[in-house]
Amino acid sequence: MIPLKNTATRSSCSIPSLFISLSILCILPISLFFFRSSPTQLSLNPQINLQTSPNSIKVYVPNLPRSLNYGLLENYWDLDSDSRIGSEVDNQIRKTHVGKSSKNSLPYPENPIIKQYSAEYWILGDLMTPEKLKLGSFAKRVFTAEEADVIFVPFFATLSAEMQLIVNKGVFRKKEGNEDYQRQRMVLDFLKQTEAWKRSGGRDHVFVITDPVAMWHVKAQVAPAILLVVDFGGWYKLDSKVSNESSSDMIHHTQVSLLKDVIVPYTHLLPRLPLSENQKREILLYFKGAKHRHRGGIVREKLWDLLINEPRVVMEEGFPNATGKEQSIKGMRTSEFCLHPAGDTPTSCRLFDAIQSLCIPVIVSDNIELPFEGMVDYSEFAVFVSVSDALQPSWLVNHLRSYSYEQKDRFRRNMAVVQPIFEYENGQPGGIGPISPNGAINYIWRKVHQKLPMIKEAIIREKRKPPGVSVPLRCHCT
């Protein structure tokens, strides 16, 4: 009986084994057909590059006149002075350092109004770095547009706009006598003459437009491109038919989309606090900034009135000067939570200052876009609160008091991990030199790389559109 049992066991195993073998033999020819036919299919359209390396993105930098990037820096530092709030440090730099610096190693302005938008300077600096020094950079510079995945436009759009506001603010919204507008036109006139722009309609061109007023006069013309922006707030338009002073309803916008554009961090203005240097925090909730803002800032005003008299809550009016910076450093480093309500736009550099200060961000917003989502999970180190909850009397402070020491400690440890991700600066003269592999610039280019399939699809779809046909603009926001 024992041999019979063994034989039966072997027999029962052999039946499925035979079935599997026959299945493989049937499937194999079909598989071989598909594998052999794929290259033939792809060769019909050699412009579709499916071999893009996941370890880099190939970037071409057109040779725009120097007056549109580093020449703007020279013009800025050649100014006698800037009378705006926050310019004290730059005025001092003009007197003591700039004359001794090479034109190839000029710093970006320290004025916080401008510095917070300095992504354009650091991204171009990485691309200008000689290849032998580009250690760990995700962007690989190529020298023909044909071999590039994207075309990076080396225009300091923020600095151009801010220069106009310094020199002659009165003509900023006008075209006549507006040097910023003239520079915007120079950029577009140059690009539209290139074969790369004609081939794609600008869809594979990358513009850094971090300042909401940058590229003000030509936004509609650059809208098809890949836009690196700090948020979509500057691209929204209020619908006057449905909105009033107490409403933030907005019409659907057709110029920006998470399918093609990338949300990038503001440049933080406060120094990084290492976790090892964190100390006891006596303040529950801290905010420093202007109480009165426009558009979505109405929520900030209401929150201010609700929180101003709450114990262990500090609400301070402040300005971006040296004194305000020192106050912010002290306030954020001694507070458990830092309030982040909307102002003129949905986000601000305050969020990234809080992260660098290990102050747990409290984001009060029903509609906000954040950098590197999908790569960074903000819920691991920030508190998100709806506007309706935050505006209930005492609700917010009671909610924050409910967090245990262990929860707050975990948030802070997670924050310390992501601090480098929001860092642009590389410590190199002129911003040209090796960057951190885990810094903001590489994360930006990885995000752009993720958009490439949709961008290439849009370019190909545009090619087959019959002449004279107008395709309606649509918003794809999520």
Side-chain angles (χ1 to χ4, degrees):
M1 293 299 294
I2 293 175
L4 286 175
K5 185 178 289 187
N6 287 342
T7 303
T9 302
R10 285 194 297 271
S11 299
S12 64
C13 290
S14 65
I15 293 172
S17 299
L18 180 62
F19 175 76
I20 292 170
S21 301
L22 289 171
S23 300
I24 292 172
L25 288 172
C26 292
I27 293 171
L28 187 59
I30 299 173
S31 302
L32 290 173
F33 170 79
F34 280 113
F35 284 134
R36 275 201 299 263
S37 62
S38 295
T40 305
Q41 298 284 337
L42 291 176
S43 65
L44 294 175
N45 191 350
Q47 292 184 348
I48 300 177
N49 177 18
L50 299 182
Q51 305 301 319
T52 303
S53 169
N55 297 318
S56 67
I57 182 170
K58 291 176 286 186
V59 184
Y60 174 68
V61 183
N63 190 27
L64 260 64
R66 182 181 172 84
S67 61
L68 297 172
N69 40 69
Y70 292 112
L72 275 170
L73 268 182
E74 294 170 17
N75 293 341
Y76 177 81
W77 292 114
D78 283 343
L79 292 172
D80 291 334
S81 66
D82 181 358
S83 60
R84 298 185 300 173
I85 291 176
S87 297
E88 301 85 358
V89 174
D90 284 350
N91 290 335
Q92 187 62 32
I93 292 174
R94 284 187 179 93
K95 295 177 182 177
T96 58
H97 298 294
V98 169
K100 303 174 184 178
S101 300
S102 164
K103 289 188 176 182
N104 295 324
S105 61
L106 290 173
Y108 202 77
E110 284 293 317
N111 183 336
I113 296 173
I114 308 175
K115 182 179 179 178
Q116 62 182 334
Y117 302 123
S118 65
E120 58 192 16
Y121 176 78
W122 301 107
I123 295 173
L124 181 57
D126 173 49
L127 292 170
M128 296 296 288
T129 301
E131 196 62 36
K132 61 183 179 181
L133 298 178
K134 286 173 68 69
L135 306 175
S137 178
F138 189 76
K140 176 180 175 58
R141 185 177 178 182
V142 295
F143 293 90
T144 64
E146 290 72 24
E147 59 182 320
D149 295 312
V150 293
I151 316 294
F152 180 80
V153 181
F155 176 43
F156 287 173
T158 286
L159 193 55
S160 177
E162 294 295 337
M163 282 286 291
Q164 185 61 51
L165 291 171
I166 295 169
V167 175
N168 190 351
K169 182 179 180 180
V171 300
F172 186 79
R173 306 285 183 181
K174 304 174 183 178
K175 296 180 180 179
E176 187 72 26
N178 185 340
E179 294 182 8
D180 177 40
Y181 169 69
Q182 293 171 13
R183 288 188 286 265
Q184 294 172 37
R185 285 261 39 106
M186 283 180 64
V187 171
L188 284 182
D189 291 346
F190 179 99
L191 294 172
K192 287 183 176 181
Q193 296 301 313
T194 64
E195 290 302 317
W197 184 281
K198 293 174 184 177
R199 183 173 60 247
S200 70
R203 286 175 175 80
D204 55 359
H205 287 55
V206 179
F207 288 84
V208 186
I209 312 181
T210 45
D211 190 329
V213 300
M215 303 292 282
W216 179 265
H217 293 279
V218 297
K219 281 189 172 182
Q221 297 178 61
V222 301
I226 306 163
L227 308 178
L228 307 187
V229 296
V230 292
D231 57 39
F232 290 159
W235 296 80
Y236 291 149
K237 295 179 180 178
L238 286 172
D239 186 344
S240 59
K241 295 181 180 180
V242 299
S243 297
N244 53 53
E245 291 183 0
S246 62
S247 172
S248 61
D249 293 336
M250 295 178 179
I251 63 172
H252 293 292
H253 52 95
T254 58
Q255 295 178 329
V256 286
S257 166
L258 288 178
L259 290 181
K260 70 178 184 68
D261 302 319
V262 175
I263 305 295
V264 304
Y266 285 80
T267 300
H268 64 85
L269 304 177
L270 304 187
R272 184 190 302 183
L273 175 67
L275 186 63
S276 60
E277 297 178 17
N278 183 57
Q279 297 181 0
K280 186 176 181 180
R281 296 167 181 257
E282 300 292 344
I283 300 170
L284 175 68
L285 180 63
Y286 178 77
F287 173 82
K288 184 176 184 63
K291 176 181 178 180
H292 303 288
R293 305 309 297 169
H294 306 294
R295 298 193 289 270
I298 190 69
V299 173
R300 181 187 294 190
E301 294 183 32
K302 291 181 178 180
L303 279 171
W304 190 291
D305 293 335
L306 282 173
L307 296 169
I308 188 65
N309 294 317
E310 289 283 353
R312 295 183 63 216
V313 173
V314 175
M315 306 289 288
E316 292 180 338
E317 285 270 11
F319 301 97
N321 54 18
T323 302
K325 180 178 179 179
E326 291 305 314
Q327 290 172 343
S328 294
I329 292 173
K330 180 181 178 182
M332 287 192 170
R333 292 188 176 193
T334 57
S335 302
E336 293 181 322
F337 297 94
C338 284
L339 185 64
H340 184 74
D344 292 341
T345 54
T347 58
S348 74
C349 67
R350 188 178 295 105
L351 169 62
F352 305 98
D353 285 338
I355 291 171
Q356 299 302 326
S357 303
L358 298 177
C359 185
I360 301 167
V362 179
I363 300 174
V364 180
S365 176
D366 297 337
N367 184 21
I368 191 170
E369 307 294 351
L370 296 168
F372 315 141
E373 291 202 87
M375 299 174 172
V376 176
D377 184 352
Y378 286 82
S379 67
E380 293 291 329
F381 58 86
V383 176
F384 290 84
V385 177
S386 69
V387 171
S388 59
D389 283 340
L391 293 181
Q392 295 180 43
S394 300
W395 187 93
L396 183 57
V397 289
N398 289 335
H399 179 66
L400 298 180
R401 288 177 184 134
S402 71
Y403 282 87
S404 67
Y405 172 84
E406 289 73 21
Q407 287 175 306
K408 290 181 287 189
D409 183 63
R410 185 175 71 252
F411 275 175
R412 202 160 284 118
R413 291 181 179 278
N414 291 339
M415 221 183 316
V417 173
V418 301
Q419 281 178 325
I421 294 172
F422 303 110
E423 181 67 71
Y424 285 105
E425 298 193 25
N426 58 17
Q428 304 295 324
I432 299 174
I435 62 169
S436 167
N438 295 315
I441 295 174
N442 270 359
Y443 270 76
I444 288 170
W445 284 122
R446 288 189 182 106
K447 266 295 182 183
V448 174
H449 189 269
Q450 291 178 0
K451 316 285 183 180
L452 290 181
M454 292 299 299
I455 292 163
K456 291 179 180 179
E457 179 180 330
I459 293 171
I460 292 170
R461 290 178 68 238
E462 185 69 15
K463 286 181 180 178
R464 51 84 170 163
K465 188 176 71 174
V469 173
S470 177
V471 177
L473 294 172
R474 296 183 177 88
C475 174
H476 300 284
C477 304
T478 57

